[in-house]
């Protein structure tokens, strides 16, 4: 019975997150109430409060559902990755671009995060969480670039922090502009071409 209750609770949680995605996407986060999400999910507002303390916690859980798997791929570094760190960066970035381009749920969540949320009132603390998530991504890229520099496959005069922030800004800027107008360009193709040009500029001649 306990196992069934736990499974039912997980199903309800996913139902709430799905409903939140749809309503946030339609109305924007600030204009959406928990009552509207409950109605969309076919639940009571009390059911939402059983799973989430407030709208900010619900938004954060919605984001983590799609971003944590993507972040985990970059964070995990195998011995093979240590041998070819730049390839690891390219492979994981390519996977992220593909997912954003082709997975409707991931695209919807990123559209909410970039276009339909204001970090005010009860959502102010989300800004700090978003910054923490960004910094974690930057740290993962930085770690891989440091490995590449230590192995001599990255130009010695290049500052690791600058190179990391530059790559993060490049991909983030392309993603943001594509989400504004997906018909403007092919995110996957343009993103990979831009990334390859950027990474090639970091490599030593022998590694190119």
């Amino acid at each position: 019975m306990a196992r069934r209750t736990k499974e039912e609770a997980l199903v309800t949680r996913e139902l709430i997150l799905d409903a939140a995605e749809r309503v946030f996407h339609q109305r924007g986060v600030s204009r959406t109430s928990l009552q509207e999400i409950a109605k969309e999910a076919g639940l009571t507002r009390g059911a939402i409060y059983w799973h989430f303390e407030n709208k900010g916690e619900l938004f954060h859980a919605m984001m983590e559902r799609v971003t944590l798997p993507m972040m985990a791929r970059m964070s995990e570094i195998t011995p093979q990755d240590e041998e070819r760190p730049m390839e690891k960066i390219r492979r994981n970035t390519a996977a992220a671009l593909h997912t954003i381009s082709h997975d409707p749920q991931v695209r919807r969540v990123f559209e909410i995060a970039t276009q339909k949320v204001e970090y005010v009132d009860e959502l102010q603390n989300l800004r700090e969480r978003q910054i923490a998530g960004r910094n974690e991504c930057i740290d993962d890229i930085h770690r891989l670039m440091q490995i590449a520099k230590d192995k001599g496959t990255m130009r010695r005069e290049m500052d690791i922090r600058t190179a990391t922030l530059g790559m993060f800004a490049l991909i983030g800027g392309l993603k943001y502009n594509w989400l504004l107008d997906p018909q403007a360009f092919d995110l996957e193709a343009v993103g990979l071409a831009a990334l390859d040009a950027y990474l090639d500029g970091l490599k030593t001649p022998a590694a190119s």
Side-chain angles (χ1 to χ4, degrees):
M1 179 64 72
R3 178 179 177 182
R4 181 181 177 185
T5 301
K6 184 177 180 180
E7 290 174 349
E8 289 173 346
L10 290 174
V11 169
T12 300
R13 187 177 189 275
E14 292 297 302
L15 188 65
I16 294 169
L17 291 173
D18 290 341
E21 278 184 21
R22 293 192 296 270
V23 184
F24 285 158
H25 194 258
Q26 292 166 3
R27 294 181 50 79
V29 179
S30 296
R31 294 179 58 195
T32 296
S33 68
L34 291 180
Q35 182 60 46
E36 290 170 320
I37 294 172
K39 181 179 179 181
E40 176 72 17
L43 300 168
T44 65
R45 192 168 61 175
I48 294 182
Y49 279 121
W50 195 86
H51 289 272
F52 304 101
E53 182 178 344
N54 51 45
K55 186 165 62 174
E57 292 295 324
L58 175 53
F59 176 88
H60 183 63
M62 180 202 70
M63 288 295 303
E64 282 195 331
R65 188 166 64 158
V66 301
T67 60
L68 285 182
M70 299 170 73
M71 293 171 65
R73 286 197 295 267
M74 186 66 83
S75 297
E76 182 182 1
I77 300 178
T78 67
Q80 291 77 16
D81 295 331
E82 291 183 355
E83 288 299 314
R84 300 178 181 274
M86 291 298 203
E87 289 185 12
K88 164 76 169 179
I89 291 174
R90 187 188 190 278
R91 184 171 63 253
N92 283 48
T93 304
L97 293 174
H98 179 83
T99 301
I100 294 168
S101 298
H102 298 284
D103 188 316
Q105 182 189 43
V106 173
R107 173 176 165 180
R108 182 167 58 247
V109 168
F110 274 95
E111 285 179 351
I112 294 168
T114 58
Q115 302 170 23
K116 305 192 177 189
V117 60
E118 296 177 308
Y119 298 117
V120 297
D121 299 329
E122 63 184 318
L123 301 177
Q124 286 183 5
N125 67 330
L126 288 177
R127 182 175 180 273
E128 283 69 36
R129 287 186 172 185
Q130 294 294 82
I131 291 173
R134 179 204 66 187
N135 289 344
E136 188 174 339
C137 291
I138 289 173
D139 288 345
D140 289 336
I141 298 171
H142 187 281
R143 187 163 63 253
L144 288 163
M145 286 195 176
Q146 185 65 62
I147 294 172
K149 193 168 187 179
D150 291 343
K151 290 180 65 64
T153 57
M154 183 174 170
R155 287 162 44 199
R156 294 185 61 184
E157 71 274 15
M158 177 57 67
D159 178 73
I160 299 287
R161 179 70 174 173
T162 300
T164 301
L165 291 174
M167 184 199 137
F168 189 82
L170 172 66
I171 299 303
L174 286 169
K175 180 182 70 177
Y176 177 83
N177 282 281
W178 181 81
L179 288 168
L180 284 176
D181 182 11
Q183 303 305 316
F185 59 92
D186 184 323
L187 176 63
E188 198 170 2
V190 174
L192 282 179
L195 178 64
D196 285 341
Y198 188 84
L199 293 179
D200 284 345
L202 299 178
K203 295 176 182 177
T204 59
S208 299

